[in-house]
Structure formats: C-alpha cells, structure tokens
Amino acid sequence: MEASNLDVAYLALAAILFAIGGVGLLVRRNPLVMIMCVELMLNAVNVTFVAFGKMLNDISGQVIVFFVLVVAAAEVVVGLGLVVAMSRRRPGANADDLRLLRG
Amino acid sequence: MVELIWLVPALPLVGFTILWFFGKRIGEPLAGWLGTAVVALSFLTTLVVFAGLWNEPDHTFQVDYFTWIPAGDFQVEIGFLLDPLSMAMIMFVTGIGSLIHLYSIGYMHGDSRFPRFFTYLNLFVFSMLMLVLGDNMVLTFLGWEGVGACSYLLISFWFEKEANASAGKKAFVTNRVGDWGFMVAMFAAFFTFGSLNWSTITSQAPGLAETTATLIAVMLLIGAVGKSAQLPLFIWLPDAMAGPTPVSALIHAATMVTAGVYLLVRANPILAASAEWVPWAIAIIGAATLFIAATIAVAQTDIKKVLAYSTVSQLGYMFLAVGSGGYTAAIFHMITHAFFKACLFLGSGSVIHGMHDDQDMRHMGALRKVMPFTAFGFIIGWLAISGVPPFSGFWSKDEILSYALHKSPVLYVIGLAGALITAFYMSRQVFMVFFGKARWGASADAELANLDAHDTSAAGSAGDANDLGEATVAADADAGPVAVATEHHGHDVQPHESPWTMTLPILVLAFFALVAGVLNLPFTENLEFLNKWLEPVVGENQAHLGLSTAKLLAEMAISTVVALTGIALAYAIYMKKKFDARKVELPFFYNGWYIDHGVTVFMGGPGRRLFELIALFDRVVIDGAVNGVGRLSRGGAARLRTVQNGYVRWYALMVGLGTILIIAFILTQVSFS
Amino acid sequence: MSVEVVVFAVCAVVVLLGGLGVVLSRNPVHSALSLVATLFGVAVLFLNMDAQLLAAVQVIVYTGAIVVLILFVMMLLGVDRDDDLDTEPLVGQRIFAVLIGVGMVGAVLAVLIIGGRDAVTGAQSVTGELAGGYDNVYELGRQLFTTYVFPLEVTAGLLTIAVVGAVVLSRRPKDVQPIPEPESMTDQGDEPLTLTHEEAGH
C-alpha cells in the first residue's frame, strides 16, 4: 500500500518521541518525572497507532489508542499512589534508593 | 587336586584377616600358632597341588577366577599360572615361611605387639604367593608392591627407634625406584602385546622387535635390581637388618629379594629376544655386586650385617647366572640359598637372643659350648654357603660358575674370587662367634682390649653410616683403646640356648641345606631333576653347556679348592692369629665402598636441588594452572558481578540494550519486497 | 504545502521540544508543564489525522486529569524542588541511554527508509473503515460496543481496581504497633530469643 510521506513522517516523529521518553526514563531519578517519561512513551505509541490506522484505513487503530489511554490513566493512578505511600515513609526517595533492597 | 591352588594364597590371607581384627584379643602365643598354622597348611596344600600338577601337560595349569579390571581392551583377571617355576617357588616360600613363623613364636616372645607381627608376616606370605602365582603382570605387580609394603611394615616393626623407621622408609623408597622400572615395563608390554598375561607375553615374545624387547627387558631389569638389592640399589638391604631377625630371614634372604630373579626368569623369552648387551649387562651387574658385597662383608662387625651383605652377594650370583643363560642354575641357587641363608639368619637370631640382643660379633666367641644346637645348624649353613661339597651350596654355586665360564672367563674368575671371599668372611663369622675364646663375661677384658685396638682403626672416622643394628655400642666410641676397653667391662652376659621353637626350624633348614644338592646334580642328565622340571619354562633359552665329564670334574675340583682356601685363610687370621686382621678389614670395606655415603651426599646436594626444582615446577606450573583457573573464575566473576549493581535504572538500561539487539537481529532477517 | 503538512510540522516541533523539556528540566514542575505542551501537540496531531474523538479525550483525560494529578502529588509531597541532575552514580548510564535511544530511532528509521512507501504492510480496513459513511465518533462508539465490547468491560473493571488500589495504597497506616517480642522459648522466663553462646555453637 502506498503510504504518503506525511504518514511516514508521523511514524518517524513517534519513534523520536518514544526514544526521548526512553532516554528520560533511564536517566531521571525522580519518580514523578519517570512517570511523566512513561507518559511520553505511551503518547508516542498512540501516535503510531493512529498513523497506522490512517494508513490502513482502519478504525481499530483509534480503538486501541482508546484503550491505551484508559490503561495509562489507571497506571498513573496506581503509580502515584505508590509514590505517595513511598514518600511518606522516606521523603525524597528516588529510583536509586531501590538499591538498598539488594541483598 | 590342582584346583586346590586357590587355597595356597587364600590361607595366609585368612590368617591375616583374622589376626588383623582379632589379633589383640587372641594374644600371645595363640596368634603366633594361628599364623604358623595357616602357612603350614598352605605348604601342605602345595604338596597336594604338586602331586596333581605332575599329571598336567607340560606341568602347567592355568586358571582364571574372575575379571578384576574389565576396561575395554584392557582386561585383567584374577588367575593363577601354575607352571614348574611358580610351583617350585611356592613350595619353598610356604615351607620356609612356616618354619620361620614357628621360629618367630619363640623369638618375638614378650613383645608388646606380638599378634601384629604375625599379621604382617601372613600378609607378606600372601603377597609373595600372589607375586609368584599371578598369571598376568598386574597380579605380579600387586604381589610385588605387597611384599614391598610388608617389608616396610616389618623392617620398622620397632618403630619407636627412629633408626628403624628410617630403615623402613629407605627400603621402601629404594624399592620404588625399581618399581618405576616394572611399571614402565608393564606399559610397554601392554602397548606391544595388547595383554598383560604372562602366557600371552611369553608365547609372543619370540616374534618381538629387538628394540621393544630390549626396552621391556631393561625396565624389568631395573625393577629386579631394586627388589633384589643389586648394584646400585642394594643400599637398603643392610639397613633393613634393623627389623626383627625372622623378618630378615624370610624377606631379605629367602623370598622377597628373590622376586627380582623370579621376574627375570619368568620373562626369559623377552630377554632372549632383546639385544645382545642385555644379558651381558645382567651378568656384569651380578658379577660386580657379588664381588663388592663380598668384600664389604669381610669388614662388618654386626652379625646380621655380614649376612645381609652375603645375601646381596649371593643374589649377585643369581643375576650372574641369569645373564649367562643359566636360568635353572639361578633358580637352583635361589632354592639352596633360601635354605642355608634362612638357616644362617635364624641361627644368628638365636645367637642374638642368647646374647640378650647384642649383635656385635666382637663380644661373642666360643658360643658353641653354650648353644650347641644353634651352632650345629649354623655350621652346616656355613659349609653350604662356602661351597664345600657335598653341601647344597657347592652344587648350585658350581653350576652358576659353569655358566659364567661358558659366557666369559672373566666372569668366571670374578665368580671364583667371590666364592673365595665368601668362604673367608663366613668362616670369619663362624670362628668369631662360635669358636675361639669367649669374649663375654668379666674374664675377657684383655681379649677385648686387643680387639678394640682393632676397632678404632677399622671403624674409621667415617662414622656409622651403615650400622643401624641394635645395641652396638662399641663402634660409636672414637676414644682411645683404653677408654673403650673399660666400656666393655660391663658386658656380663650369660648366653643360653634358645627354646625348641627356635632351634627346630634351624635344624630343619640345616638338613635341607645339606641335602638340597640332589635337586640338580650335574653328573648325568637323569640326575638333573630341576633342569628337567623347569624345561617348559626356560627350555629354549637356557644356554647349553655340553660339558664333558673331565671338564666338569675339573671345575668341581677348582671350586672345592677355592672354598677350602677361603676357610683356611680365615682360620689362619682369626684362630691362629697369624696375620693381622686389620690388613683385611679395611675401613673402605666397612663403609660399603662409600656407596651409601655417596648416595646420601648426592641426595643431599645436587639431588636435592633437582628435587626442589621439580617441586618448584609442581608448585608454580601445575598448581599455578589449577589455581589460575580458580583465580580466573573469581576475577571474571568479580567483573561480571558489576552488572548486578542493584540499580533499577541500570537494569532498565540492560533491558533496552537487549531490545535494541533483538531488533537489530530481526532487521537482518527481514527482507523487503 | 497542504495544511496538514504545515500543522504537522508545527506540532512536531512542539511535541519534540516538550519531550525534551520533560527529560531535561531540573524542576519537576517544569517537566510537568512541558508534558502538557507535548500532550497538546499530540492532540492536535490527532486532529490532523482525523481522530477527533481521540483528540478530545486526550485533552480531557491526559492533560486535564493525569497531568493535574501528577502536579497534585508533586505539591502534596513537596518534590517541587530542583533535582540533582549533575551527578550520576552509575557509570556510563547516560551515554548508554543516549546510545539506546539513538539505536531505537535508528532502527525504526531504517525500516522506514528501506521500506519507503511500502513500510507499512497489512490488510486494509479489517475492522471498519476509518470514515466510511459515519463520522468518527459514531464509528468509534460502534466498534467499541460491538467488536471490542469485552475489552471495554475489562478496562472498566481495571479502572475500578485502580481506584481501589490507589485508596488502599495511600491510606495512612494505623498506629504502627511495635512487633511484640516473641514468647520466650527457653525455660528461663523472659530471655529474648537471641542466639546464646551455646546455641550459636551448634
């Protein structure tokens, strides 16, 4: 199927955004910022799905995005709950402190 | 009846097992009687088997019991090869063994470890029988090692004294050098023949390439030299006199030391197939040994040391015989030697026992009056070893000399010289111990002082390198004669005859030392029983002498004259005091031609450096390699461990890395249409 | 230059800058705001691709709820202070991360470039046409309640669970009672259960 250059550009954009989110996830220590980076990655995926839907002329691309959105929301909720619970015990905790659990 | 052969080694093994577990409980003297009984029963079984063997073809009977080592091409069975050679040997091993067991009951009376002694003796007899009866080289080696181990155990029986323990170690280590030779021979034999069975080896040996046969023969020779105390590995035998006298009699006179000769005779087809110089080497080693050992014996003062060097010398005769192609002569001499040497050793043990553990001949004298039975047996043994007809030693030694003459006149002359010296030192021993004036007791001071003046020159300054016997006080003293004389003042021993358990074996052995000559009288073919008996084993390779009666009688006359000359010389020096004994008993001889001393120096000096080098190699290279592997693992693991550092972000990084790699891999597999 | 291309170009810039802002900002609040920018840009991109409902949902749910929630938590816990971005305890983490990012982009770009026009393969309109006859909302709803009704219900359950979980997680624990000393296992009354010298030796 012939895809226009624009569609391909969407995919490229999504890839770059995904990469940015991934690097951010690996580099940042603050749990909240890490959650935000995850959101970036999910958004990139969303863009990809919608682009595919457009290219293939199929609605299910958007349906999937719908679900991704829902799950992302649920995930953020739980993740923030965890951050809250964690920070109560140990204010200023960050990802590196997990190292203390190492045997 | 031949099938009963398994009983022959089994009985001593049973004796060993029972004594090992229950010896202490059985205690003295029952343990001794048990040990003696099993060996005596074993001897009776050999007689029965002998009767049965007479009917077998070629007088050979081979039986396999079970496969001990089934390893593909390498099969080792537990089986016995009962041929004329092994039959002859087991008869005198068990016979003399049982006599010596009986003797030990009296000799070891009162020893704190009495049962243990008989345990070891039984184990020894078992090992020796396995050595002789084994139908393959591995079983022979089993027995070989077994007798070596028992020798070690028995020499250092009184291990509380450091010197005895050292002697045991020395014997074992020196034997080990020989064992190395045996093992290499085994490897070579397996490689060549594909089997270690004696029958296979001896039947296939004639087709062997000369170099292979030479290699095997030389390696077996090394083994024999170690076990039979030939030059240069004889240094352990004199030290082995530290063990109890029955041990010396059984192991170091009659049985273990003959194992080397047995091995060479067993392997005679290989010797025949090897290079010309191999039998020459054997003969030369034998000749050199017999001469050197005889000269050393001349100067010894310990009654057992004289006999030890005498054994070395007589073994030299056997090697000379083997080298000259006279295998039956070697076996003949082995048998007669077993009788008269065991008789002599047991006699000396009886003397030591009577002299309350004093072994120095200079303290003895005129003992025939106090110990008549011992003296009688000893004298017969003396006449036998000196080669006086019609005692057995004359016949066997003369036969060896005939073969030596056949090989080379030089060897013959050396053999004759050895016979002269043998007669001399044995007569010296007899005169010093049993005749002359009694040097024990307070009345003998003057005599002692005279002899001590002797000693301080004869003993020399080289010290006591060879003298490890017990209670030899005199040789330590380097002081002047007067001081030494006063030291001897205290020897107020009253020698006494030994109990019947000790004198009976001596007399029995003396009887055989007298008559054993009939085994192989050389006058006509019909009288050469032993030659005919051993023909299936050595027939083809035995040198043929073809002596005319005149030549035979001439040789016999020469031997007799030589023997009598030796006795006369000793008589002149020691009884009539015509010449000064000091001219004969040179310090050079006393110190064993400094051979032992040389070995010690070498081992302490350059030898030690070599061993330290080898130990260094072992430590650095081999241990280093092994430890290096460990160090490598640890180091590698330490580095790899850093991957697991506990940081979640790092793990996420690794996940990402893995993902990239997988994607890259997939991209290489994907094709775009 | 059609409108779509121009819109795409502008929004792409916004999105990427916002993404970089999220990752590179020291202050977490700045990161949150950059995230808002990104999300808005993505919403416009959705519009550009004829996904109108999604654009709306994106703004409402993502920007309006999720980012707000994140900001709430930030303020609640007081993590609005600047992060320490200078030190990095893990050696090579940053370099490797960048490499991995470049690798990922490179992989996708490789596919796109090599594939070119044919990069995307697959059957057309399997589920339902994008805008075949009905408008986007209608079509989306129709699919959700017919073909995808089961996942819909499951996600509903998921949301419920998430809410319950969040409540449970953020409950302040009751007064924590100290773990009582276990009953003495020896006869001697009140000895605590520590290894005595003898027991340690066994």
Side-chain angles (χ1 to χ4, degrees):
Chain A
M1 189 246 112
E2 185 151 320
S4 70
N5 276 341
L6 184 61
D7 298 324
V8 172
Y10 274 115
L11 296 177
L13 170 67
I16 296 173
L17 187 62
F18 185 85
I20 293 175
V23 170
L25 185 62
L26 292 172
V27 173
R28 295 302 294 259
R29 278 179 295 235
N30 191 324
L32 290 165
V33 175
M34 288 171 92
I35 290 178
M36 286 192 263
C37 292
V38 173
E39 296 310 314
L40 276 184
M41 290 159 82
L42 286 169
N43 272 286
V45 169
N46 288 349
V47 169
T48 310
F49 271 124
V50 173
F52 279 147
K54 179 110 183 299
M55 282 194 242
L56 294 174
N57 201 10
D58 196 335
I59 194 75
S60 52
Q62 297 183 17
V63 174
I64 292 173
V65 172
F66 207 85
F67 288 120
V68 171
L69 224 56
V70 169
V71 172
E75 167 216 335
V76 169
V77 162
V78 172
L80 289 176
L82 279 171
V83 171
V84 166
M86 195 176 65
S87 295
R88 233 186 240 135
R89 278 294 191 119
R90 212 187 166 86
N94 60 26
D96 279 348
D97 290 344
L98 273 174
R99 187 171 48 90
L100 294 167
L101 289 176
R102 181 174 178 242
Chain B
M1 295 209 280
V2 191
E3 299 81 42
L4 289 175
I5 183 63
W6 67 272
L7 262 183
V8 174
L11 282 166
L13 184 63
V14 165
F16 162 71
T17 317
I18 297 178
L19 285 171
W20 178 262
F21 289 112
F22 306 112
K24 259 210 210 128
R25 236 182 289 170
I26 297 178
E28 177 179 350
L30 204 57
W33 288 109
L34 175 66
T36 311
V38 286
V39 180
L41 273 173
S42 189
F43 173 65
L44 291 173
T45 317
T46 60
L47 294 177
V48 171
V49 169
F50 180 59
L53 190 63
W54 209 261
N55 301 326
E56 298 284 328
D58 262 351
H59 303 294
T60 307
F61 172 71
Q62 191 165 359
V63 60
D64 275 340
Y65 292 113
F66 62 93
T67 311
W68 177 25
I69 305 177
D73 280 336
F74 179 61
Q75 299 272 332
V76 176
E77 287 95 25
I78 304 270
F80 294 143
L81 173 63
L82 192 65
D83 68 357
L85 177 62
S86 47
M87 185 77 239
M89 290 202 67
I90 60 173
M91 274 204 284
F92 82 77
V93 165
T94 49
I96 299 186
S98 42
L99 285 172
I100 294 182
H101 275 75
L102 177 63
Y103 180 89
S104 308
I105 299 178
Y107 191 81
M108 301 298 288
H109 170 67
D111 193 289
S112 56
R113 271 173 295 147
F114 184 90
R116 186 52 68 90
F117 188 74
F118 286 91
T119 318
Y120 292 153
L121 272 188
N122 273 5
L123 182 65
F124 172 83
V125 174
F126 167 73
S127 304
M128 188 70 201
L129 290 169
M130 291 305 284
L131 197 162
V132 173
L133 284 172
D135 74 344
N136 55 67
M137 284 178 92
V138 179
L139 272 185
T140 305
F141 191 63
L142 173 80
W144 188 273
E145 293 289 297
V147 297
C150 292
S151 168
Y152 162 76
L153 288 169
L154 285 164
I155 292 173
S156 23
F157 190 71
W158 291 314
F159 55 77
E160 293 84 6
K161 226 175 146 196
E162 164 107 36
N164 301 341
S166 287
K169 276 187 283 183
K170 185 169 177 177
F172 197 75
V173 171
T174 318
N175 263 186
R176 212 83 189 104
V177 178
D179 294 348
W180 163 79
F182 195 133
M183 280 194 267
V184 175
M186 269 207 292
F187 302 151
F190 181 67
F191 192 69
T192 316
F193 299 103
S195 151
L196 287 172
N197 229 296
W198 281 119
S199 351
T200 316
I201 293 176
T202 48
S203 57
Q204 288 183 8
L208 214 53
E210 193 177 284
T211 38
T212 323
T214 308
L215 170 71
I216 301 178
V218 169
M219 285 299 141
L220 286 176
L221 175 63
I222 293 177
V225 161
K227 193 63 93 183
S228 294
Q230 296 297 292
L231 215 65
L233 294 175
F234 68 91
I235 50 179
W236 63 270
L237 192 54
D239 289 16
M241 296 299 114
T245 309
V247 171
S248 309
L250 181 62
I251 298 183
H252 306 126
T255 41
M256 183 178 107
V257 290
T258 58
V261 183
Y262 162 79
L263 186 69
L264 289 177
V265 175
R266 174 64 83 209
N268 70 77
I270 300 180
L271 292 180
S274 61
E276 272 287 314
W277 57 266
V278 174
W280 271 105
I282 300 177
I284 292 174
I285 290 177
T289 309
L290 75 88
F291 184 76
I292 293 177
T295 54
I296 300 177
V298 166
Q300 297 301 312
T301 55
D302 182 320
I303 191 173
K304 282 175 72 173
K305 284 274 167 61
V306 178
L307 295 174
Y309 283 108
S310 170
T311 305
V312 175
S313 180
Q314 298 302 310
L315 288 167
Y317 273 103
M318 294 181 220
F319 270 64
L320 175 63
V322 168
S324 309
Y327 296 105
T328 51
I331 302 292
F332 186 28
H333 198 60
M334 189 198 291
I335 296 176
T336 59
H337 174 262
F339 288 130
F340 59 67
K341 193 46 72 65
C343 173
L344 288 169
F345 261 113
L346 294 187
S348 70
S350 175
V351 165
I352 294 170
H353 181 79
M355 292 288 292
H356 297 283
D357 295 330
D358 187 353
Q359 293 181 219
D360 195 326
M361 292 196 296
R362 297 166 293 180
H363 301 164
M364 303 177 189
L367 281 179
R368 76 183 186 289
K369 297 184 188 146
V370 202
M371 307 171 75
F373 292 111
T374 310
F376 181 68
F378 202 95
I379 286 172
I380 295 193
W382 160 56
L383 290 173
I385 193 175
S386 302
V388 175
F391 293 86
S392 56
F394 166 73
W395 304 106
S396 55
K397 201 181 291 190
D398 195 55
E399 196 170 331
I400 294 180
L401 290 174
S402 306
Y403 281 104
L405 179 60
H406 177 79
K407 182 95 174 168
S408 150
V410 177
L411 291 174
Y412 177 67
V413 169
I414 297 178
L416 267 186
L420 178 72
I421 304 177
T422 305
F424 177 76
Y425 67 70
M426 283 311 298
S427 313
R428 166 181 177 262
Q429 182 174 42
V430 167
F431 294 145
M432 277 178 89
V433 174
F434 292 106
F435 291 90
K437 294 220 185 72
R439 288 184 291 282
W440 34 272
S443 57
D445 279 355
E447 197 90 23
L448 279 174
N450 196 16
L451 281 167
D452 291 331
H454 241 141
D455 280 336
T456 39
S457 54
S461 51
D464 256 8
N466 293 321
D467 205 349
L468 287 176
E470 294 185 69
T472 44
V473 182
D476 300 323
D478 260 14
V482 178
V484 178
T486 44
E487 233 180 287
H488 291 303
H489 207 298
H491 280 283
D492 265 336
V493 260
Q494 282 303 323
H496 57 85
E497 183 61 276
S498 306
W500 73 270
T501 48
M502 289 169 70
T503 49
L504 180 66
I506 298 176
L507 293 173
V508 171
L509 288 168
F511 172 72
F512 281 107
L514 173 61
V515 303
V518 302
L519 275 176
N520 211 22
L521 292 172
F523 297 114
T524 70
E525 281 256 339
N526 292 336
L527 287 175
E528 291 183 339
F529 294 122
L530 195 60
N531 278 1
K532 282 201 291 197
W533 174 250
L534 285 176
E535 210 178 295
V537 184
V538 300
E540 298 121 33
N541 302 317
Q542 178 101 328
H544 290 293
L545 289 181
L547 288 174
S548 64
T549 323
K551 227 176 160 201
L552 182 66
L553 285 174
E555 281 178 16
M556 285 166 59
I558 296 176
S559 306
T560 316
V561 165
V562 159
L564 292 173
T565 314
I567 298 177
L569 274 173
Y571 187 75
I573 295 183
Y574 291 99
M575 294 290 278
K576 294 296 184 197
K577 304 274 189 290
K578 277 229 176 94
F579 307 107
D580 191 356
R582 270 175 298 184
K583 292 221 184 66
V584 182
E585 295 178 15
L586 300 173
F588 185 62
F589 295 150
Y590 181 77
N591 288 309
W593 291 45
Y594 296 106
I595 292 179
D596 201 7
H597 185 69
V599 169
T600 314
V601 167
F602 172 73
M603 288 300 166
R608 188 188 195 89
R609 262 180 272 283
L610 180 66
F611 302 143
E612 277 172 4
L613 204 70
I614 294 175
L616 192 76
F617 176 79
D618 181 47
R619 217 176 31 247
V620 170
V621 176
I622 297 176
D623 281 0
V626 172
N627 290 346
V629 170
R631 236 178 293 126
L632 202 73
S633 302
R634 276 232 312 271
R639 270 178 203 71
L640 280 177
R641 209 184 299 140
T642 54
V643 173
Q644 296 222 317
N645 51 15
Y647 286 107
V648 177
R649 294 191 293 132
W650 180 263
Y651 298 159
L653 188 73
M654 291 298 126
V655 171
L657 189 66
T659 314
I660 295 290
L661 291 173
I662 291 177
I663 292 174
F665 173 71
I666 293 176
L667 281 177
T668 60
Q669 305 293 321
V670 157
S671 61
F672 290 91
S673 54
Chain C
M1 274 299 228
S2 63
V3 175
E4 286 175 340
V5 176
V6 172
V7 170
F8 169 77
V10 172
C11 288
V13 170
V14 171
V15 162
L16 289 176
L17 284 178
L20 286 172
V22 168
V23 171
L24 297 175
S25 297
R26 265 180 212 276
N27 196 319
V29 179
H30 295 172
S31 296
L33 296 174
S34 305
L35 186 64
V36 171
T38 305
L39 295 173
F40 262 124
V42 170
V44 177
L45 283 176
F46 282 164
L47 274 176
N48 214 10
M49 290 195 269
D50 299 324
Q52 294 89 3
L53 179 61
L54 276 183
V57 170
Q58 166 94 351
V59 173
I60 296 171
V61 171
Y62 249 117
T63 326
I66 289 176
V67 177
V68 172
L69 213 56
I70 290 176
L71 280 168
F72 272 174
V73 171
M74 260 193 245
M75 295 310 165
L76 180 70
L77 298 177
V79 289
D80 54 337
R81 274 161 294 126
D82 289 1
D83 267 356
D84 184 10
L85 280 184
D86 291 327
T87 61
E88 170 62 78
L90 294 170
V91 178
Q93 172 86 351
R94 289 189 180 172
I95 300 170
F96 277 131
V98 169
L99 281 175
I100 285 172
V102 168
M104 276 196 242
V105 172
V108 176
L109 285 182
V111 173
L112 292 174
I113 292 170
I114 296 172
R117 297 281 159 110
D118 300 324
V120 177
T121 61
Q124 292 282 311
S125 306
V126 172
T127 313
E129 285 207 29
L130 200 52
Y134 304 104
D135 56 25
N136 186 258
V137 180
Y138 184 93
E139 188 61 36
L140 210 55
R142 200 168 74 90
Q143 291 302 323
L144 270 177
F145 283 97
T146 55
T147 319
Y148 292 101
V149 68
F150 184 65
L152 184 72
E153 302 304 328
V154 170
T155 45
L158 176 68
L159 281 174
T160 318
I161 294 168
V163 169
V164 170
V167 170
V168 167
L169 278 171
S170 25
R171 244 187 340 164
R172 218 174 270 277
K174 291 202 186 109
D175 300 295
V176 179
Q177 271 162 9
I179 299 171
E181 297 270 357
E183 296 279 330
S184 155
M185 299 220 182
T186 65
D187 294 333
Q188 282 132 19
D190 294 330
E191 292 291 330
L193 197 69
T194 49
L195 278 176
T196 58
H197 221 50
E198 304 102 58
E199 288 172 55
H202 289 321

